[in-house]
Amino acid sequence: MDRKVSILGATGYAGAELTRILYNHPNAEVVHITSERHAGEHITALYPHLRGLYDMELESMRDIARIGADSDFVFIGLPHGHAMEVGRALAGMRTRIIDLGADYRFDDTDVYEAWYHVRHTHADAPRTYGLSELCRDAVRTAKIIGNAGCFTTASILALAPLAKERLVDVNTILVDAKSGVSGAGRGAKTANHFPELYDNFRAYNVAHHRHTPEIEQEIGKLAGEKATIQFTPHLVPMSRGILATCYATLKEGVTEDDVDAAYEKIYRNEPFIRLLGRGAYPSTKEVRGSNFCDIAWHIDARTHRVIVLSAIDNLVKGAAGQAVQNFNIACGFDETTGLMMTPLYP
């Protein structure tokens, strides 16, 4: 049975990518696309690559009740602080929500407020975290799905087997991650201006990036204990992609074979996790335009550390692709429906 879906915030990069992916989904009909800034304009005026595919005008979401009544699912691609308003407005309706932002990612809304500096106005929302490979059971029935963030997807998927199998001290985890500039959104910013970005490489939001508590929350749940991690993001002069390099100290007695077995155990049947194995090197170009997450790991016997590398496309597996994967799970469709895109190369 087909599902009617709407995209709120269709003109951001994640919203536009979601629009692109859903065009090829055999069980999804896009009925509304919104943009407050561009209401009344044709989507192809902003994204010409959709020409001939979507003959739709962007609407305002002021009449959210009508949009909700028309939709089985509403995807929200709005800045943080806005999705909870939509969630409250649709609370009494059958419409289910997949939020690509941060409003519904946290179990504890106090943590959200501390890191995002916005009061959470829908703390009692019936929600679940939406990292597809690790949260399937909850996603199947959730009213609201808080789609995992891009850095967090790359980092948590890299570390999950180690945490779940209790192979590392989770309080020794360091995550050093690099992202393409599309992760910063479509809005104009001086730091993302071509002359500033080209031929440059820099860290940002050191020690206070908002994805930090999200990674801690999920790694802590997997490990069964509180986790405190160090996360440092970097911006690289490319449009798409994330490469996360994750470090952790192995517990005493843990062997290379134990690490290998943990990844095989958890991910061997996952359609979008590609295990490159011990000693390999994932790269962002090999996942570009796809919903794959490529993972490899290295063991440093000298420091007794494991180093895990993961690569994703931040706009697909890190945002829109994962949202569609969660949509498939929630609808009972085959999880790969509409998502088996071959990576673009070169």
Side-chain angles (χ1 to χ4, degrees), residues 122-134:
H122 199 196
D124 61 346
R127 63 192 182 276
T128 191
Y129 191 66
L131 183 47
S132 305
E133 284 76 12
L134 303 177

Side-chain angles (χ1 to χ4, degrees), residues 129 131-136 148 151-170 173-175 214-225 227 229 244-248 250-251 258-268 270 273 275 293-297 306-310 317 322:
Y129 191 66
L131 183 47
S132 305
E133 284 76 12
L134 303 177
C135 306
R136 279 193 186 91
F151 276 128
T152 51
T153 293
S155 304
I156 295 167
L157 289 177
L159 294 163
L162 302 174
K164 191 170 184 179
E165 297 300 307
R166 315 292 202 269
L167 300 183
V168 298
D169 179 347
V170 293
I173 291 173
L174 308 173
V175 177
E214 190 181 331
I215 302 170
E216 290 178 340
Q217 171 183 279
E218 297 306 307
I219 293 300
K221 286 193 287 190
L222 288 163
E225 61 179 294
I229 71 159
T245 305
C246 309
Y247 306 80
L250 293 166
K251 291 184 177 179
D258 293 332
V259 174
D260 295 352
Y263 282 92
E264 288 293 335
K265 177 181 178 181
I266 293 177
Y267 291 143
R268 69 166 64 97
E270 291 295 341
I273 304 293
L275 294 179
C293 176
D294 286 1
I295 299 175
W297 54 96
V306 56
I307 304 99
V308 189
L309 310 171
S310 68
K317 184 57 176 165
Q322 181 143 261

Side-chain angles (χ1 to χ4, degrees), residues 35-228:
S35 169
E36 299 311 295
R37 182 179 177 187
H38 298 285
E41 297 181 47
H42 201 284
I43 184 65
T44 59
L46 295 157
Y47 287 105
H49 70 290
L50 298 174
R51 190 181 295 121
L53 305 177
Y54 280 94
D55 185 24
M56 299 180 73
E57 282 190 0
L58 293 154
E59 310 171 36
S60 169
M61 58 177 239
R62 283 193 292 269
D63 192 355
I64 190 61
R66 177 179 62 87
I67 293 173
D70 289 345
S71 309
D72 297 301
F73 279 79
V74 169
F75 293 89
I76 305 176
L78 301 172
H80 70 269
H82 295 279
M84 61 184 95
E85 300 173 13
V86 176
R88 291 200 319 275
L90 301 182
M93 303 178 72
R94 63 175 176 80
T95 314
R96 298 171 72 181
I97 291 170
I98 299 177
D99 177 25
L100 279 70
D103 288 8
Y104 294 110
R105 290 176 185 162
F106 292 91
D107 299 334
D108 184 348
T109 53
D110 288 343
V111 175
Y112 170 88
E113 292 179 351
W115 285 80
Y116 285 82
H117 310 294
V118 172
R119 188 172 73 87
H120 204 293
T121 59
H122 199 196
D124 61 346
R127 63 192 182 276
T128 191
Y129 191 66
L131 183 47
S132 305
E133 284 76 12
L134 303 177
C135 306
R136 279 193 186 91
D137 289 344
V139 165
R140 286 189 180 100
T141 58
K143 164 73 172 176
I144 301 175
I145 299 162
N147 212 58
C150 54
F151 276 128
T152 51
T153 293
S155 304
I156 295 167
L157 289 177
L159 294 163
L162 302 174
K164 191 170 184 179
E165 297 300 307
R166 315 292 202 269
L167 300 183
V168 298
D169 179 347
V170 293
N171 291 303
T172 66
I173 291 173
L174 308 173
V175 177
D176 184 297
K178 288 86 175 173
S179 175
V181 72
S182 61
R186 204 181 192 204
K189 304 180 181 97
T190 300
N192 300 340
H193 187 44
F194 181 79
E196 305 286 338
L197 185 68
Y198 178 72
D199 203 25
N200 196 9
F201 177 48
R202 62 182 175 83
Y204 66 100
N205 287 350
V206 175
H208 60 268
H209 193 280
R210 289 166 171 170
H211 283 179
T212 305
E214 190 181 331
I215 302 170
E216 290 178 340
Q217 171 183 279
E218 297 306 307
I219 293 300
K221 286 193 287 190
L222 288 163
E225 61 179 294
K226 187 178 186 299
T228 302

